[in-house]
Amino acid sequence: MADTHKAGAFDIRNVIGMLLAVYGVILLLMGVFADPELEKTGGVNANLWAGLALLVVGGGFVAWSRLKPIYVPEDVAEVHDDPTRPGPKKQKRPKA
């Protein structure tokens, strides 16, 4: 695959994984350092477990993008039959 490169940071799986991981760290820290309010959640530290789950899922997304990267071709053939692209501008005819 000499004429392709990886999507890298522009891969949406990296963006989603990092966002979930950031929220996971915030919730994990809230679960460890804040008042867990166990009476509201039935004896479960919800922030702690939700933070751990988000870290696992976010790590899964990042691992998925590393193990199965998306390859972007360098050259893309010009499309002539795409109805969403505007047609060429019409030239005005000279008056005779």
Side-chain angles (χ1 to χ4, degrees):
M1 290 187 223
D3 59 342
T4 61
H5 65 277
K6 294 179 185 177
F10 296 109
D11 189 348
I12 191 68
R13 297 173 293 182
N14 285 328
V15 175
I16 292 171
M18 295 308 272
L19 186 64
L20 290 175
V22 167
Y23 286 143
V25 168
I26 292 169
L27 282 176
L28 183 72
L29 292 174
M30 289 298 292
V32 171
F33 295 114
D35 181 23
E37 300 186 22
L38 299 176
E39 63 277 355
K40 289 184 179 179
T41 59
V44 177
N45 190 344
N47 285 338
L48 179 70
W49 287 106
L52 287 172
L54 283 172
L55 281 174
V56 168
V57 173
F61 269 92
V62 172
W64 178 26
S65 70
R66 299 281 188 249
L67 295 173
K68 292 270 205 174
I70 293 176
Y71 290 99
V72 180
E74 295 290 334
D75 302 345
V76 178
E78 189 174 338
V79 179
H80 295 290
D81 61 349
D82 186 359
T84 61
R85 293 182 188 225
K89 294 187 178 186
K90 294 182 179 180
Q91 300 285 333
K92 289 187 177 181
R93 294 184 186 179
K95 294 183 180 181

